[in-house]
Every structure is written in structure tokens, then in C-alpha cells.
Amino acid sequence: MSTAFPQLDDNDLIPRDARELGTTATVAEQGRRRVPWRFFAGRAAFYLFTLWAAITINFFLPRFMKGDAVSSYLARNRNVSPEAAESLRILLGIDSDKSIWQQYIEYWGMLLRGDLGISTLHGLRPVAEVLSAALPWTLGLVGIATIISFAIGTVGGAIVGWRRGSKLDALIPITTFFNTIPYFWLGLIAIAIFSSALKWFPSSHAYDKGQSPEWSLDFIGQVIMHGTLPALTIIIASLGGWMLGMRNMMLTVLDEDYITVSQAKGMPNKRVLWSYAARNAVLPQIQSFALSIGFIVGGTIVMEMVFSYPGVGKLLLDATNAKDYALMQGVFLVITLSVLVANILADVVYAYLDPRTRQTEA
């Protein structure tokens, strides 16, 4: 009775039958080559549902507030006739003759046409025009400051975690201390020291008074000088959280077996640090960064009030006080879209850095 043995390659002596049938490594390799359509479809369905829910809440929430935009507008403009007030209600989509369902359908129709309505707070200007004037200031200042803080905190936290037990550990309590200080106090202290006492930076506004925005070296220099102090306060205030989070994740990752094996094989410490340890430790940081994008757009009210800086945060505060429905909805929509886009990008980066995610989902 003869027994059939699998044929072996001359080079690596691996059974051909096993390679044809596929091992765990082979299946994983095939999974990396296959496009994870199920992963993308699931994420797309989730984000589309989230977008619908956010827009629906965005429509109903202002209407649950006491008062309306027209009443607030009439309080500021006494010479408006009743006929003009009724026309304004129709224009704003809050006509009492229409049911809430009809208003909801019309609101979706306006969104699909790219029409965000008009702002009663800004002289009946289109909301899209008001947002386009304020959004670049917020993105340019808070967006860049948040990215710099994230990069410095993540890299610094990885190095501190790698060299645990060294003098670099002193950076954690120092940065965490600044993270616990209320932002308005930190901003006022920065103004008192660097603006009032040392006179290194301006204390308020985005550029010099009397200057009109233009593309010139002088105006760009003014914007940089006016934005340096609030940007530094944002970086200092948020640096501790990024550094502490990355350092703690590094301590967890460094205890894994694959790190020990990599070091035992004699791999350079720099490669083990950045290619193995930091790459896995940064995954929770990416999700946290995506969530912080919403604060880049709408969570800057305190900063913009302290430094009298024009932006979306102060725009949202003014719109809330004036019950400007259309402007509030426009700001909320921008915040929602920014958070969703940031989370989509975070999912893509997460799946790229951790192939197990897309293989499991696929």
C-alpha cells in the first residue's frame, strides 16, 4: 500500500498542496490584494445615515427654541411693516401656513440646490456668503494650530514612551498642567505678558484696524503676527492631551511580544520605534484627532472672544443670541460635514495602518 506524499519545491521545501490550498498567511496576503468593497460600503451607509440624522436634527433643533428669527429681527428693526415681516417669514421658510413637514421638505430642497438661506443678523445676506467670509479665518488659525499640536504631541509622546524612565518623563506633567488651565485664563495671561508687557504680538483682531483683506506681503505679515499668539495658546493648551495619550499607548505597545522579537532580531531601535511601536500606538490618536475636527470649526468661541478674532465660533454665538435660524443651521451643517469628512479620512488611514481592520470588515 503506497502513501502519496506532497511534492516539495527544490528551493524552500514547502508542500505545494499546502500552498495551493492556502495557509493563514496566504489568506491574509490574498485579503490584502482584494479590494474591501464591503468595508467601504458599510462605512458609506453608516456615514450617509449619520448625515441624514444630523441634517434632520439641524432642522428641528432651532425650531424648538423660544422665539424665532423674524421676531428677533423686528426687535432690532422697528420700521418693518407687518407685510414685510410676513414676507420675511416666507423667505426664511418658517411660514405659519405651512406644516413642519412641508418646511422640512423645502429645507432639503434648498440644501440640494446649495441654498443655505439668508442671515437676518447680517443684513439679509446669503448664509453661504457669511460663512465663506468667516470659515477661512477659523481653518487657517485653529486648523493649523491643531495639526501642529497633534504632530508635536504624537511624536513627542512616542519618544517619551520609548525612553520611559528617563528625564523626558518630566515633559508629561508640565504639558498636562497647561492642559488643565482654562483656555480663557491662558489666553489672558498670554496677552498680558506677550502683548501688553513685552509688546511682541498684537492682542486682538486678525489684522490691523483700517486694513482691508488683500493678497500682499504686508497683509500676510499682519495676519501671521495677529494669529501667532492665539495659535501658540491653542498648541500649548492641547499639547498635553496628545502627548499623554501617545505616551500611554506606547507603554502598552512596548510590552507586546512582537516588539521583543524585533529587538531580539537586532533591528535598529529607530526602525522598531517608528515602524512597529509608534505605528500601532498612533491608531487611537487618529480617531481622537478626527473627533477634534469638530472643535476646529465650532469649538473656538472662547478663543475668538478672548482675542476678538473673526471666525465661525463667534459667528455661531452671535447667531444663537439673535435666533438666526438659517445662520445657525449653516454653521451646524459645516461642523457636521467637517466631522464626517475627518472621520472618513481617519477610517481610511486607520485601515491603511492596520490591515486587520479592512480584512475583518471585508
Short mmCIF file of all heavy atoms in Angstrom, two decimals, residues 177-242:
data_model
loop_
_atom_site.label_atom_id
_atom_site.label_comp_id
_atom_site.label_asym_id
_atom_site.label_seq_id
_atom_site.Cartn_x
_atom_site.Cartn_y
_atom_site.Cartn_z
N PHE A 177 -0.14 70.04 32.91
CA PHE A 177 -0.51 71.18 33.75
C PHE A 177 -1.12 72.29 32.90
O PHE A 177 -2.17 72.86 33.25
CB PHE A 177 0.71 71.70 34.49
CG PHE A 177 0.50 73.03 35.16
CD1 PHE A 177 -0.24 73.14 36.32
CD2 PHE A 177 1.03 74.19 34.60
CE1 PHE A 177 -0.44 74.37 36.93
CE2 PHE A 177 0.83 75.42 35.19
CZ PHE A 177 0.09 75.52 36.36
N PHE A 178 -0.50 72.61 31.77
CA PHE A 178 -1.05 73.64 30.88
C PHE A 178 -2.38 73.20 30.27
O PHE A 178 -3.23 74.03 29.95
CB PHE A 178 -0.06 73.98 29.77
CG PHE A 178 1.12 74.78 30.23
CD1 PHE A 178 2.36 74.21 30.37
CD2 PHE A 178 0.97 76.13 30.54
CE1 PHE A 178 3.45 74.95 30.80
CE2 PHE A 178 2.04 76.88 30.96
CZ PHE A 178 3.29 76.31 31.10
N ASN A 179 -2.56 71.89 30.13
CA ASN A 179 -3.82 71.38 29.59
C ASN A 179 -4.98 71.55 30.56
O ASN A 179 -6.15 71.57 30.14
CB ASN A 179 -3.65 69.90 29.23
CG ASN A 179 -4.75 69.39 28.34
OD1 ASN A 179 -5.32 70.14 27.56
ND2 ASN A 179 -5.04 68.11 28.44
N THR A 180 -4.69 71.66 31.86
CA THR A 180 -5.74 71.80 32.86
C THR A 180 -6.14 73.26 33.10
O THR A 180 -7.15 73.51 33.74
CB THR A 180 -5.28 71.20 34.20
OG1 THR A 180 -4.08 71.85 34.63
CG2 THR A 180 -5.00 69.70 34.04
N ILE A 181 -5.36 74.20 32.60
CA ILE A 181 -5.68 75.62 32.79
C ILE A 181 -6.82 76.00 31.86
O ILE A 181 -6.78 75.68 30.66
CB ILE A 181 -4.44 76.50 32.50
CG1 ILE A 181 -3.30 76.15 33.45
CG2 ILE A 181 -4.79 77.98 32.63
CD1 ILE A 181 -2.03 76.93 33.18
N PRO A 182 -7.86 76.67 32.35
CA PRO A 182 -8.92 77.12 31.46
C PRO A 182 -8.37 77.99 30.34
O PRO A 182 -7.48 78.82 30.56
CB PRO A 182 -9.84 77.93 32.39
CG PRO A 182 -9.58 77.38 33.75
CD PRO A 182 -8.13 77.00 33.77
N TYR A 183 -8.91 77.79 29.14
CA TYR A 183 -8.30 78.44 27.98
C TYR A 183 -8.36 79.96 28.08
O TYR A 183 -7.40 80.65 27.69
CB TYR A 183 -8.98 77.98 26.69
CG TYR A 183 -8.34 78.61 25.47
CD1 TYR A 183 -7.18 78.08 24.95
CD2 TYR A 183 -8.88 79.74 24.88
CE1 TYR A 183 -6.56 78.66 23.85
CE2 TYR A 183 -8.27 80.34 23.79
CZ TYR A 183 -7.11 79.79 23.28
OH TYR A 183 -6.50 80.38 22.21
N PHE A 184 -9.46 80.51 28.59
CA PHE A 184 -9.55 81.97 28.62
C PHE A 184 -8.52 82.57 29.57
O PHE A 184 -8.01 83.67 29.32
CB PHE A 184 -10.97 82.41 29.00
CG PHE A 184 -11.37 82.07 30.41
CD1 PHE A 184 -11.16 82.97 31.44
CD2 PHE A 184 -11.99 80.87 30.70
CE1 PHE A 184 -11.54 82.67 32.74
CE2 PHE A 184 -12.37 80.56 32.00
CZ PHE A 184 -12.14 81.46 33.02
N TRP A 185 -8.16 81.82 30.65
CA TRP A 185 -7.10 82.29 31.54
C TRP A 185 -5.75 82.24 30.83
O TRP A 185 -4.94 83.17 30.95
CB TRP A 185 -7.05 81.43 32.81
CG TRP A 185 -7.93 81.92 33.90
CD1 TRP A 185 -9.04 81.30 34.40
CD2 TRP A 185 -7.80 83.14 34.65
NE1 TRP A 185 -9.62 82.04 35.40
CE2 TRP A 185 -8.87 83.18 35.58
CE3 TRP A 185 -6.90 84.20 34.61
CZ2 TRP A 185 -9.05 84.24 36.45
CZ3 TRP A 185 -7.08 85.25 35.49
CH2 TRP A 185 -8.14 85.27 36.40
N LEU A 186 -5.51 81.17 30.12
CA LEU A 186 -4.26 81.05 29.39
C LEU A 186 -4.14 82.14 28.33
O LEU A 186 -3.06 82.73 28.14
CB LEU A 186 -4.17 79.67 28.73
CG LEU A 186 -2.82 79.27 28.13
CD1 LEU A 186 -1.74 79.24 29.21
CD2 LEU A 186 -2.92 77.92 27.43
N GLY A 187 -5.25 82.43 27.64
CA GLY A 187 -5.22 83.50 26.65
C GLY A 187 -4.99 84.86 27.26
O GLY A 187 -4.21 85.68 26.73
N LEU A 188 -5.65 85.15 28.38
CA LEU A 188 -5.47 86.45 29.04
C LEU A 188 -4.05 86.60 29.57
O LEU A 188 -3.46 87.70 29.51
CB LEU A 188 -6.48 86.60 30.17
CG LEU A 188 -7.96 86.71 29.75
CD1 LEU A 188 -8.86 86.74 30.97
CD2 LEU A 188 -8.17 87.96 28.89
N ILE A 189 -3.47 85.51 30.12
CA ILE A 189 -2.08 85.57 30.59
C ILE A 189 -1.13 85.83 29.42
O ILE A 189 -0.18 86.62 29.53
CB ILE A 189 -1.71 84.27 31.32
CG1 ILE A 189 -2.51 84.16 32.63
CG2 ILE A 189 -0.21 84.21 31.62
CD1 ILE A 189 -2.34 82.83 33.34
N ALA A 190 -1.38 85.17 28.29
CA ALA A 190 -0.54 85.38 27.12
C ALA A 190 -0.63 86.82 26.62
O ALA A 190 0.37 87.42 26.23
CB ALA A 190 -0.94 84.40 26.01
N ILE A 191 -1.85 87.38 26.63
CA ILE A 191 -2.00 88.78 26.21
C ILE A 191 -1.28 89.72 27.17
O ILE A 191 -0.59 90.67 26.76
CB ILE A 191 -3.50 89.13 26.13
CG1 ILE A 191 -4.15 88.38 24.97
CG2 ILE A 191 -3.69 90.64 25.95
CD1 ILE A 191 -5.65 88.57 24.88
N ALA A 192 -1.40 89.45 28.48
CA ALA A 192 -0.76 90.31 29.48
C ALA A 192 0.76 90.29 29.35
O ALA A 192 1.43 91.34 29.51
CB ALA A 192 -1.18 89.89 30.88
N ILE A 193 1.34 89.12 29.06
CA ILE A 193 2.80 89.01 29.01
C ILE A 193 3.35 89.42 27.65
O ILE A 193 4.20 90.32 27.55
CB ILE A 193 3.23 87.57 29.35
CG1 ILE A 193 2.83 87.22 30.78
CG2 ILE A 193 4.74 87.41 29.16
CD1 ILE A 193 3.14 85.78 31.16
N PHE A 194 2.87 88.79 26.59
CA PHE A 194 3.49 88.96 25.29
C PHE A 194 2.94 90.14 24.50
O PHE A 194 3.59 90.57 23.53
CB PHE A 194 3.32 87.68 24.46
CG PHE A 194 3.99 86.49 25.06
CD1 PHE A 194 3.26 85.52 25.74
CD2 PHE A 194 5.36 86.33 24.96
CE1 PHE A 194 3.89 84.42 26.29
CE2 PHE A 194 5.99 85.23 25.51
CZ PHE A 194 5.25 84.28 26.19
N SER A 195 1.79 90.65 24.87
CA SER A 195 1.23 91.78 24.15
C SER A 195 1.35 93.08 24.95
O SER A 195 1.88 94.07 24.46
CB SER A 195 -0.24 91.51 23.81
OG SER A 195 -0.80 92.59 23.10
N SER A 196 0.85 93.07 26.19
CA SER A 196 0.86 94.30 26.99
C SER A 196 2.25 94.62 27.54
O SER A 196 2.72 95.77 27.44
CB SER A 196 -0.14 94.19 28.14
OG SER A 196 -1.44 93.96 27.65
N ALA A 197 2.93 93.62 28.11
CA ALA A 197 4.23 93.87 28.75
C ALA A 197 5.37 93.90 27.73
O ALA A 197 6.10 94.89 27.62
CB ALA A 197 4.50 92.80 29.81
N LEU A 198 5.54 92.83 26.99
CA LEU A 198 6.65 92.75 26.04
C LEU A 198 6.35 93.38 24.69
O LEU A 198 7.29 93.72 23.94
CB LEU A 198 7.03 91.27 25.83
CG LEU A 198 7.48 90.52 27.08
CD1 LEU A 198 7.77 89.05 26.75
CD2 LEU A 198 8.73 91.17 27.69
N LYS A 199 5.07 93.50 24.36
CA LYS A 199 4.63 94.11 23.09
C LYS A 199 5.23 93.38 21.88
O LYS A 199 5.63 94.00 20.89
CB LYS A 199 4.99 95.60 23.05
CG LYS A 199 4.34 96.41 24.16
CD LYS A 199 4.58 97.89 23.99
CE LYS A 199 3.98 98.69 25.14
NZ LYS A 199 2.52 98.47 25.29
N TRP A 200 5.30 92.07 21.97
CA TRP A 200 5.81 91.29 20.85
C TRP A 200 4.73 91.03 19.80
O TRP A 200 5.02 91.02 18.61
CB TRP A 200 6.35 89.95 21.35
CG TRP A 200 7.64 90.05 22.11
CD1 TRP A 200 8.37 91.20 22.31
CD2 TRP A 200 8.33 89.00 22.77
NE1 TRP A 200 9.48 90.92 23.04
CE2 TRP A 200 9.50 89.56 23.35
CE3 TRP A 200 8.10 87.63 22.94
CZ2 TRP A 200 10.41 88.81 24.06
CZ3 TRP A 200 9.01 86.88 23.64
CH2 TRP A 200 10.15 87.46 24.20
N PHE A 201 3.49 90.80 20.25
CA PHE A 201 2.41 90.45 19.34
C PHE A 201 1.20 91.34 19.61
O PHE A 201 1.00 91.82 20.74
CB PHE A 201 2.00 88.98 19.52
CG PHE A 201 3.13 88.01 19.31
CD1 PHE A 201 3.77 87.42 20.39
CD2 PHE A 201 3.55 87.70 18.03
CE1 PHE A 201 4.79 86.53 20.20
CE2 PHE A 201 4.58 86.80 17.83
CZ PHE A 201 5.22 86.21 18.92
N PRO A 202 0.34 91.55 18.60
CA PRO A 202 -0.93 92.26 18.83
C PRO A 202 -1.85 91.45 19.74
O PRO A 202 -1.73 90.22 19.84
CB PRO A 202 -1.52 92.41 17.42
CG PRO A 202 -0.37 92.19 16.49
CD PRO A 202 0.56 91.24 17.19
N SER A 203 -2.75 92.12 20.39
CA SER A 203 -3.62 91.46 21.37
C SER A 203 -4.97 91.04 20.81
O SER A 203 -5.67 90.25 21.45
CB SER A 203 -3.84 92.38 22.57
OG SER A 203 -4.48 93.59 22.16
N SER A 204 -5.35 91.54 19.66
CA SER A 204 -6.70 91.25 19.17
C SER A 204 -6.77 91.43 17.65
O SER A 204 -5.87 91.99 17.04
CB SER A 204 -7.74 92.17 19.84
OG SER A 204 -7.46 93.53 19.55
N HIS A 205 -7.88 90.93 17.11
CA HIS A 205 -8.22 91.03 15.69
C HIS A 205 -7.28 90.18 14.83
O HIS A 205 -6.25 89.69 15.30
CB HIS A 205 -8.23 92.48 15.20
CG HIS A 205 -9.19 93.35 15.98
ND1 HIS A 205 -10.55 93.21 15.90
CD2 HIS A 205 -8.97 94.36 16.87
CE1 HIS A 205 -11.14 94.09 16.70
NE2 HIS A 205 -10.20 94.80 17.29
N ALA A 206 -7.66 90.01 13.58
CA ALA A 206 -6.88 89.18 12.66
C ALA A 206 -5.88 89.99 11.84
O ALA A 206 -4.95 89.43 11.27
CB ALA A 206 -7.82 88.44 11.71
N TYR A 207 -6.06 91.31 11.79
CA TYR A 207 -5.14 92.20 11.08
C TYR A 207 -5.35 93.60 11.61
O TYR A 207 -6.25 93.86 12.42
CB TYR A 207 -5.35 92.14 9.56
CG TYR A 207 -6.80 92.23 9.13
CD1 TYR A 207 -7.44 93.46 8.95
CD2 TYR A 207 -7.54 91.07 8.90
CE1 TYR A 207 -8.76 93.54 8.55
CE2 TYR A 207 -8.87 91.13 8.51
CZ TYR A 207 -9.47 92.37 8.33
OH TYR A 207 -10.78 92.44 7.94
N ASP A 208 -4.50 94.52 11.19
CA ASP A 208 -4.53 95.89 11.71
C ASP A 208 -5.85 96.57 11.37
O ASP A 208 -6.45 96.32 10.31
CB ASP A 208 -3.37 96.71 11.14
CG ASP A 208 -2.02 96.19 11.63
OD1 ASP A 208 -2.01 95.44 12.62
OD2 ASP A 208 -1.00 96.53 11.00
N LYS A 209 -6.29 97.43 12.27
CA LYS A 209 -7.53 98.18 12.03
C LYS A 209 -7.35 99.13 10.86
O LYS A 209 -6.30 99.75 10.68
CB LYS A 209 -7.91 98.96 13.28
CG LYS A 209 -8.30 98.09 14.47
CD LYS A 209 -8.71 98.93 15.66
CE LYS A 209 -9.14 98.04 16.83
NZ LYS A 209 -9.54 98.84 18.01
N GLY A 210 -8.40 99.23 10.06
CA GLY A 210 -8.36 100.08 8.88
C GLY A 210 -7.78 99.40 7.65
O GLY A 210 -7.80 99.99 6.56
N GLN A 211 -7.29 98.19 7.81
CA GLN A 211 -6.71 97.44 6.69
C GLN A 211 -7.77 96.54 6.07
O GLN A 211 -8.56 95.92 6.77
CB GLN A 211 -5.54 96.59 7.18
CG GLN A 211 -4.84 95.78 6.11
CD GLN A 211 -3.97 96.62 5.22
OE1 GLN A 211 -3.48 97.67 5.65
NE2 GLN A 211 -3.78 96.19 3.98
N SER A 212 -7.79 96.47 4.76
CA SER A 212 -8.72 95.60 4.05
C SER A 212 -8.00 94.33 3.62
O SER A 212 -6.81 94.39 3.24
CB SER A 212 -9.29 96.32 2.82
OG SER A 212 -10.00 97.48 3.21
N PRO A 213 -8.66 93.19 3.68
CA PRO A 213 -8.01 91.95 3.25
C PRO A 213 -7.57 92.01 1.80
O PRO A 213 -8.33 92.41 0.91
CB PRO A 213 -9.11 90.90 3.46
CG PRO A 213 -10.02 91.49 4.49
CD PRO A 213 -10.01 92.96 4.23
N GLU A 214 -6.35 91.64 1.54
CA GLU A 214 -5.79 91.63 0.19
C GLU A 214 -4.61 90.66 0.15
O GLU A 214 -4.04 90.32 1.19
CB GLU A 214 -5.34 93.03 -0.22
CG GLU A 214 -4.30 93.63 0.72
CD GLU A 214 -3.90 95.04 0.35
OE1 GLU A 214 -4.62 95.66 -0.47
OE2 GLU A 214 -2.88 95.52 0.85
N TRP A 215 -4.27 90.24 -1.05
CA TRP A 215 -3.12 89.35 -1.22
C TRP A 215 -1.87 90.18 -1.42
O TRP A 215 -1.48 90.53 -2.52
CB TRP A 215 -3.34 88.42 -2.42
CG TRP A 215 -4.38 87.37 -2.17
CD1 TRP A 215 -5.65 87.34 -2.67
CD2 TRP A 215 -4.24 86.21 -1.36
NE1 TRP A 215 -6.31 86.24 -2.22
CE2 TRP A 215 -5.46 85.51 -1.41
CE3 TRP A 215 -3.20 85.69 -0.59
CZ2 TRP A 215 -5.68 84.33 -0.73
CZ3 TRP A 215 -3.40 84.52 0.10
CH2 TRP A 215 -4.63 83.84 0.02
N SER A 216 -1.24 90.53 -0.31
CA SER A 216 0.01 91.28 -0.33
C SER A 216 0.88 90.80 0.82
O SER A 216 0.38 90.27 1.81
CB SER A 216 -0.26 92.79 -0.21
OG SER A 216 -0.84 93.10 1.03
N LEU A 217 2.20 90.99 0.69
CA LEU A 217 3.11 90.55 1.73
C LEU A 217 2.87 91.28 3.04
O LEU A 217 2.99 90.70 4.12
CB LEU A 217 4.56 90.77 1.26
CG LEU A 217 5.02 89.89 0.09
CD1 LEU A 217 6.45 90.24 -0.30
CD2 LEU A 217 4.90 88.41 0.43
N ASP A 218 2.49 92.56 2.95
CA ASP A 218 2.24 93.32 4.17
C ASP A 218 1.02 92.78 4.91
O ASP A 218 1.07 92.60 6.14
CB ASP A 218 2.01 94.80 3.80
CG ASP A 218 1.71 95.65 5.04
OD1 ASP A 218 2.59 95.75 5.92
OD2 ASP A 218 0.59 96.19 5.12
N PHE A 219 -0.05 92.48 4.18
CA PHE A 219 -1.25 91.95 4.83
C PHE A 219 -1.01 90.55 5.38
O PHE A 219 -1.45 90.22 6.48
CB PHE A 219 -2.42 91.93 3.84
CG PHE A 219 -3.69 91.41 4.43
CD1 PHE A 219 -4.46 92.19 5.27
CD2 PHE A 219 -4.13 90.11 4.15
CE1 PHE A 219 -5.63 91.70 5.83
CE2 PHE A 219 -5.30 89.63 4.70
CZ PHE A 219 -6.05 90.43 5.54
N ILE A 220 -0.28 89.70 4.63
CA ILE A 220 0.02 88.35 5.12
C ILE A 220 0.86 88.42 6.38
O ILE A 220 0.65 87.65 7.33
CB ILE A 220 0.74 87.55 4.02
CG1 ILE A 220 -0.21 87.31 2.85
CG2 ILE A 220 1.26 86.21 4.57
CD1 ILE A 220 0.44 86.62 1.66
N GLY A 221 1.80 89.37 6.43
CA GLY A 221 2.60 89.54 7.64
C GLY A 221 1.75 89.95 8.83
O GLY A 221 1.97 89.49 9.96
N GLN A 222 0.75 90.82 8.60
CA GLN A 222 -0.15 91.21 9.68
C GLN A 222 -0.96 90.02 10.18
O GLN A 222 -1.13 89.85 11.40
CB GLN A 222 -1.10 92.31 9.18
CG GLN A 222 -0.44 93.63 8.84
CD GLN A 222 -1.44 94.66 8.36
OE1 GLN A 222 -2.63 94.56 8.65
NE2 GLN A 222 -0.96 95.63 7.60
N VAL A 223 -1.44 89.19 9.27
CA VAL A 223 -2.23 88.03 9.66
C VAL A 223 -1.38 87.07 10.51
O VAL A 223 -1.84 86.53 11.52
CB VAL A 223 -2.78 87.31 8.41
CG1 VAL A 223 -3.43 85.98 8.80
CG2 VAL A 223 -3.79 88.20 7.70
N ILE A 224 -0.12 86.88 10.11
CA ILE A 224 0.76 85.98 10.87
C ILE A 224 1.03 86.55 12.25
O ILE A 224 1.00 85.82 13.25
CB ILE A 224 2.08 85.76 10.10
CG1 ILE A 224 1.79 84.98 8.80
CG2 ILE A 224 3.09 85.01 10.95
CD1 ILE A 224 3.01 84.81 7.92
N MET A 225 1.30 87.84 12.34
CA MET A 225 1.58 88.45 13.64
C MET A 225 0.37 88.39 14.56
O MET A 225 0.48 88.08 15.75
CB MET A 225 2.02 89.90 13.45
CG MET A 225 3.41 90.06 12.87
SD MET A 225 4.69 89.38 13.94
CE MET A 225 4.52 90.43 15.38
N HIS A 226 -0.82 88.66 14.03
CA HIS A 226 -2.03 88.64 14.84
C HIS A 226 -2.44 87.21 15.21
O HIS A 226 -3.09 87.02 16.24
CB HIS A 226 -3.19 89.32 14.09
CG HIS A 226 -3.13 90.81 14.12
ND1 HIS A 226 -3.87 91.58 14.99
CD2 HIS A 226 -2.41 91.68 13.37
CE1 HIS A 226 -3.62 92.86 14.77
NE2 HIS A 226 -2.74 92.96 13.79
N GLY A 227 -2.09 86.23 14.38
CA GLY A 227 -2.50 84.86 14.65
C GLY A 227 -1.51 84.05 15.44
O GLY A 227 -1.85 82.96 15.91
N THR A 228 -0.30 84.57 15.63
CA THR A 228 0.73 83.80 16.34
C THR A 228 0.35 83.55 17.79
O THR A 228 0.44 82.42 18.29
CB THR A 228 2.09 84.52 16.27
OG1 THR A 228 2.47 84.65 14.90
CG2 THR A 228 3.15 83.75 17.03
N LEU A 229 -0.08 84.58 18.49
CA LEU A 229 -0.38 84.45 19.92
C LEU A 229 -1.56 83.50 20.17
O LEU A 229 -1.44 82.58 21.00
CB LEU A 229 -0.64 85.82 20.53
CG LEU A 229 -0.54 85.90 22.06
CD1 LEU A 229 0.83 85.45 22.52
CD2 LEU A 229 -0.82 87.33 22.54
N PRO A 230 -2.71 83.65 19.51
CA PRO A 230 -3.78 82.67 19.73
C PRO A 230 -3.40 81.26 19.28
O PRO A 230 -3.81 80.28 19.90
CB PRO A 230 -4.96 83.22 18.91
CG PRO A 230 -4.36 84.20 17.98
CD PRO A 230 -3.16 84.75 18.64
N ALA A 231 -2.60 81.14 18.22
CA ALA A 231 -2.17 79.81 17.78
C ALA A 231 -1.28 79.14 18.83
O ALA A 231 -1.42 77.95 19.12
CB ALA A 231 -1.44 79.89 16.44
N LEU A 232 -0.36 79.90 19.41
CA LEU A 232 0.52 79.34 20.44
C LEU A 232 -0.27 78.90 21.67
O LEU A 232 0.03 77.86 22.27
CB LEU A 232 1.58 80.37 20.83
CG LEU A 232 2.71 80.60 19.82
CD1 LEU A 232 3.64 81.70 20.31
CD2 LEU A 232 3.49 79.32 19.56
N THR A 233 -1.27 79.67 22.04
CA THR A 233 -2.08 79.28 23.20
C THR A 233 -2.87 78.00 22.92
O THR A 233 -3.04 77.16 23.81
CB THR A 233 -3.03 80.42 23.59
OG1 THR A 233 -3.83 80.79 22.46
CG2 THR A 233 -2.25 81.64 24.07
N ILE A 234 -3.35 77.86 21.69
CA ILE A 234 -4.07 76.62 21.34
C ILE A 234 -3.12 75.42 21.40
O ILE A 234 -3.46 74.36 21.93
CB ILE A 234 -4.69 76.74 19.93
CG1 ILE A 234 -5.81 77.79 19.95
CG2 ILE A 234 -5.24 75.40 19.46
CD1 ILE A 234 -6.37 78.08 18.57
N ILE A 235 -1.91 75.59 20.87
CA ILE A 235 -0.94 74.49 20.87
C ILE A 235 -0.56 74.11 22.29
O ILE A 235 -0.53 72.93 22.66
CB ILE A 235 0.30 74.90 20.06
CG1 ILE A 235 -0.05 75.05 18.57
CG2 ILE A 235 1.42 73.87 20.23
CD1 ILE A 235 1.07 75.60 17.72
N ILE A 236 -0.28 75.11 23.12
CA ILE A 236 0.13 74.83 24.50
C ILE A 236 -1.01 74.19 25.28
O ILE A 236 -0.80 73.26 26.08
CB ILE A 236 0.60 76.13 25.19
CG1 ILE A 236 1.89 76.63 24.53
CG2 ILE A 236 0.81 75.91 26.68
CD1 ILE A 236 2.34 77.98 25.04
N ALA A 237 -2.24 74.66 25.06
CA ALA A 237 -3.38 74.15 25.82
C ALA A 237 -3.73 72.71 25.45
O ALA A 237 -4.24 71.96 26.29
CB ALA A 237 -4.58 75.05 25.61
N SER A 238 -3.48 72.30 24.20
CA SER A 238 -3.89 70.96 23.76
C SER A 238 -2.73 69.99 23.63
O SER A 238 -2.95 68.80 23.38
CB SER A 238 -4.60 71.06 22.40
OG SER A 238 -3.76 71.68 21.43
N LEU A 239 -1.50 70.45 23.80
CA LEU A 239 -0.34 69.58 23.61
C LEU A 239 -0.30 68.45 24.63
O LEU A 239 0.07 67.31 24.30
CB LEU A 239 0.94 70.41 23.68
CG LEU A 239 2.25 69.69 23.38
CD1 LEU A 239 2.25 69.16 21.96
CD2 LEU A 239 3.44 70.63 23.59
N GLY A 240 -0.66 68.74 25.88
CA GLY A 240 -0.57 67.74 26.93
C GLY A 240 -1.43 66.52 26.67
O GLY A 240 -1.01 65.39 26.95
N GLY A 241 -2.63 66.72 26.16
CA GLY A 241 -3.52 65.59 25.89
C GLY A 241 -2.96 64.65 24.84
O GLY A 241 -2.99 63.42 25.00
N TRP A 242 -2.45 65.22 23.74
CA TRP A 242 -1.87 64.38 22.68
C TRP A 242 -0.64 63.63 23.19
O TRP A 242 -0.48 62.44 22.91
CB TRP A 242 -1.50 65.23 21.47
CG TRP A 242 -2.64 65.93 20.81
CD1 TRP A 242 -2.80 67.27 20.64
CD2 TRP A 242 -3.80 65.32 20.22
NE1 TRP A 242 -3.98 67.55 19.99
CE2 TRP A 242 -4.60 66.36 19.72
CE3 TRP A 242 -4.23 64.01 20.08
CZ2 TRP A 242 -5.80 66.13 19.08
CZ3 TRP A 242 -5.44 63.77 19.43
CH2 TRP A 242 -6.21 64.82 18.94
#
